[in-house]
Amino acid sequence: MWKNVLSIALLFFSISLFAQDLSYPEEFYDKAEYDIPMRDGVKLHTTVYTPKDQSKTYPFLMKRTPYSSRPYGEGQFPSSLGPNKFLMEDGYIFVYQDVRGRWSSEGDYDNMRPHIADKKTDQDIDESSDTYDTIDWLLGNIKNNNGKVGQWGISYPGYYTTAGAVDAHPALKASSPQAPIGDFYFDDFHHNGAYLLSYWIATSVFGYQTEPTTKSWYTNNIPNIGTQDQYQFFLDIGPLKNLDKYYKEDNFFWQELKTHPDYDEFWQKRGIIQHLNNVRPAMMTVGGWFDAEDLYGPLTTYKTIEKKNPNTYNTIVMGPWSHGDWARDRERQAVGNVYFGDHISDHFQKNIERPFFNHFLKDEPVGSGLAEAYMFDTGRNQWTSFGNWPPKESEKQTYFFNEKEELNTTSPTASEYTEFISDPNKPVPYSEDIKVVFTPRKFMTDDQRFAARRPDVLVFETEVLEEDVTLAGEIMANLFVSTTGTDADWVVKLVDVFPPDAKDPEEMQDHLRMSNYHMMVRSEVMRGRYRNSFEKPEAFKPNRVTEVNFPLQDVYHTFKRGHKIQIQVQSTWFPYIDRNPQTFVKNIFMAEEKDFQKQTHRVYHSKDYPSSVTVEVLK
């Protein structure tokens, strides 16, 4: 079952992203495969698709990937080329490359290979140098190129796109990192120090060294968990260390995850965000508002480039998508039960992505220009162009938790708190629909009524809104908490409560109705031990009031008149994240069964300890 789930998920990141006429690439493109030498002698397998019409020159458009540049072999063509069908039909020299240590490329594989910020020697390599050397070879060896190169990629290939834009080859003119991993400690495998158990299965893909091959190496190493009930499997397995029987010593990444639970030098070296100082190509970062894997990456990549590279063309696009959904068009765009509009991905591909690459690589005009920030309001279901993100028109507003489960802009005056019992043996599920999945997608807009009605989930909400409220920008959770234990996770969810007369879209699940639907708009977790430092964890003092602040990532969402704004607070979110034992241990990956203890948590909403969320309201 895992094998099928993971194969389907990874297939999405292969070349064949679009349901196109299978004959198009073969009819209009020639294919050639090369093993391109890098500066240290390692050869990277690269497939080049060149337009058959050689009467003019073309720019390169390249994707570097750990997920395979297949199909391999003469006469084997993918169903489509490039980021979208429009660019394929416009004509480019499309380049796909297996990164070092993966599939048909030589070398050792390293997850988020550390970037060498200082001057490199002739033998020093990183993803920036491999991109540079590849471009240099292509320019000198592929005929009929116009001397310009673009790069794109989704998810992990998005990271390689970002890395390639740092200290870039002069010919690299345009890059589009899409859902890029910015840092494995804040994307994919961890969120604010909490381990994403949903990504455990991916360790079979990222954890084994291989020799050059055209065959999948991970399929025989995917664990067979023997059940369709993922929640029960991870609950029954107990502490994380009991998962060792599925991944042995030869899975180097599982060993690294266990050995480095904190944001130590190992993880710090693997982040690309801190190296975005010398970015020269035009950049268009793309992400989905409902991406359960990589939301930190696109937002932080854009903001960091904007801050550190004031002279670089830099834009961001955020739409109503889950992970990578903009790369395939659907007549109706929905995430889970929530419908956002028709042909939204097609609109992006044709009117945003296509003009970006054609302008910077083919010198085509873009009419009135490309927006600095092209953002989709997931409450009004419409696109908006902004000159800055977050918008300068947004103003900070604090919503305080108050007694009687109220959420309003008035600071509390009473000495109040709300408490709940958090039991790691009965963790709050992330969704009502938990089955074997690679990484959950639909839960990012799921109905949260099931959670709101649990005694271990706190709820604070506004009165029915008398006018629209649009949040556009960052959200910060500001909690004052205590626990009878010495560790705890804190999960905060921003929820849009629909009115009783809300109409059902056709995507609505049979057992639900949009009437009083509790749509999750944004959510995030903070592993409490990292409240002051991700590098140096600290235990909680039992029963002592402690401040825990953390960002929930940005939103652009209008809570409409007649709706309510709700905040939910909980301490388990399973099995999206692993269980915190609630007893401070040096390394949660090594926790024992006895460490997992039921504890009482309090969230304070008093004059001295006013828990709240701070948002940016668009005026």
Side-chain angles (χ1 to χ4, degrees), residues 304-582:
T304 305
I305 293 173
E306 189 73 5
K307 179 180 179 180
K308 294 185 177 181
N309 304 268
N311 296 321
T312 295
Y313 177 90
N314 185 40
T315 187
I316 183 171
V317 181
M318 295 292 293
W321 301 299
S322 58
H323 193 62
D325 279 349
W326 51 90
R328 50 182 177 178
D329 186 43
R330 295 170 174 164
E331 181 177 352
R332 290 176 61 85
Q333 174 59 44
V335 177
N337 298 301
V338 183
Y339 164 74
F340 296 103
D342 293 343
H343 296 295
I344 292 175
S345 297
D346 186 81
H347 169 77
F348 159 73
Q349 294 168 20
K350 184 177 182 180
N351 300 304
I352 304 172
E353 188 175 43
R354 181 190 195 184
F356 171 78
F357 282 117
N358 282 349
H359 175 66
F360 288 104
L361 301 180
K362 292 188 172 186
D363 298 320
E364 292 186 5
V366 290
S368 59
L370 296 167
E372 169 74 16
Y374 199 56
M375 316 299 266
F376 192 91
D377 183 331
T378 56
R380 284 201 179 102
N381 292 349
Q382 64 184 32
W383 289 102
T384 309
S385 297
F386 293 101
N388 304 86
W389 187 265
K392 290 184 177 179
E393 300 86 353
S394 292
E395 297 179 2
K396 290 189 181 301
Q397 175 71 66
T398 298
Y399 283 89
F400 294 96
F401 305 172
N402 271 289
E403 58 182 332
K404 298 181 181 179
E405 299 186 330
E406 293 179 355
L407 180 72
N408 53 48
T409 57
T410 302
S411 181
T413 57
S415 297
E416 295 285 343
Y417 60 80
T418 305
E419 68 180 23
F420 63 96
I421 296 173
S422 177
D423 186 352
N425 292 318
K426 295 182 179 179
V428 180
Y430 68 80
S431 171
E432 287 185 295
D433 306 312
I434 297 181
K435 49 187 178 292
V436 174
V437 293
F438 174 35
T439 291
R441 291 173 179 262
K442 67 174 284 292
F443 95 102
M444 292 292 282
T445 63
D446 261 353
D447 185 15
Q448 298 300 305
R449 278 176 285 194
F450 79 95
R453 292 163 182 170
R454 284 181 59 120
D456 49 358
V457 177
L458 304 186
V459 177
F460 302 92
E461 68 179 22
T462 65
E463 297 291 331
V464 175
L465 298 176
E466 296 182 356
E467 58 183 23
D468 291 355
V469 176
T470 300
L471 306 189
E474 300 171 348
I475 303 175
M476 178 66 72
N478 318 294
L479 304 183
F480 291 93
V481 300
S482 68
T483 175
T484 54
T486 50
D487 201 1
D489 289 344
W490 301 97
V491 178
V492 175
K493 298 184 291 191
L494 173 68
V495 175
D496 185 343
V497 180
F498 281 60
D501 61 352
K503 305 301 182 185
D504 294 343
E506 61 185 61
E507 290 79 7
M508 181 60 64
Q509 291 174 278
D510 290 341
H511 70 284
L512 294 173
R513 290 293 177 266
M514 194 55 76
S515 174
N516 196 39
Y517 191 89
H518 286 32
M519 173 189 171
M520 191 165 76
V521 175
R522 181 63 69 245
S523 54
E524 192 55 280
V525 59
M526 168 59 75
R527 180 136 286 175
R529 60 174 48 213
Y530 300 119
R531 63 195 179 279
N532 294 319
S533 169
F534 289 106
E535 187 175 1
K536 298 178 180 179
E538 300 175 45
F540 284 85
K541 301 284 187 181
N543 300 311
R544 177 180 293 184
V545 180
T546 306
E547 194 168 1
V548 178
N549 301 325
F550 60 99
L552 271 65
Q553 307 305 334
D554 300 18
V555 296
Y556 181 34
H557 184 86
T558 295
F559 292 79
K560 292 183 177 180
R561 177 183 177 184
H563 291 227
K564 292 186 285 187
I565 303 172
Q566 183 185 95
I567 296 293
Q568 294 185 8
V569 182
Q570 60 199 62
S571 282
T572 50
W573 208 16
F574 190 75
Y576 182 55
I577 63 169
D578 67 314
R579 297 177 304 146
N580 190 320
Q582 305 190 146

Side-chain angles (χ1 to χ4, degrees), residues 197-215:
L197 201 55
S198 63
Y199 241 72
W200 173 74
I201 185 60
T203 314
S204 61
V205 178
F206 300 129
Y208 296 103
Q209 293 291 354
T210 65
E211 296 296 324
T213 180
T214 60
K215 298 183 182 299

